[in-house]
Amino acid sequence: MASDPDPEVRAWLEDIDSEDAGTAAQAAFNVGVLLQERGDSEQAADHYRRAIDTGDPDHMGYAAFNLGLLLAGGLQDPEGAERAFELAVEAGKGGAEFWADAEEKELLSTAALALGDLREFTLRDLSGAERAYEQAVETREWKQAPVAAIALGQLRSHKLGDARGAETAFELAIEFGNSDH
């Protein structure tokens, strides 16, 4: 990788050691994406961790989300994936009660949905899955909130035995489907 012939990659590798957290995070994230595309999940995960460790708010959440996907998938570390998705959810909140930034809102809803799925199907933490799906629904983000509402309804109906809660979730999914984004 250090002798990668791609000049853009060489520049990113140089920028990883930048004093500027944003520059270092962007570079580490970009190298992580490239390594992931090349099939090197271990090294990609290391670069996502480096991006997270910078503390840069513009890249931390996306790096955490991508790390969570790697850990939940091929690297088979569901507990690590849970921590990464939790970090992505927190980063997606952007420190605000109401999400003005559409990208943060999408990150939050996508990460919360992934966290809910991980908790429900892999970790078998049904109450944790319910909380994560609720967070995704609360964003009212037009792509993921309806999916999360359906997942929440199915969880409540089939696994938690909460018919009324399931009905409420399904009604929200219908409402999302009938609204303009």
Side-chain angles (χ1 to χ4, degrees), residues 61-142:
Y62 294 101
F65 179 73
N66 284 9
L67 177 62
L69 292 175
L70 284 175
L71 294 173
L75 296 181
Q76 298 180 353
D77 178 2
E79 289 80 15
E82 181 179 35
R83 288 188 301 276
F85 287 141
E86 287 171 345
L87 180 59
V89 166
E90 287 306 310
K93 289 180 182 176
E97 188 173 325
F98 299 100
W99 311 281
D101 185 286
E103 285 184 25
E104 287 178 349
K105 192 176 189 178
E106 184 174 2
L107 172 62
L108 171 57
S109 63
T110 303
L113 180 59
L115 179 59
D117 287 347
L118 177 75
R119 286 177 172 166
E120 180 179 359
F121 299 109
T122 303
L123 299 174
R124 305 287 190 236
D125 174 6
L126 301 183
S127 63
E130 183 178 35
R131 285 190 309 276
Y133 290 144
E134 287 170 345
Q135 281 187 300
V137 170
E138 287 170 5
T139 67
R140 304 187 74 79
E141 194 269 334
W142 70 277

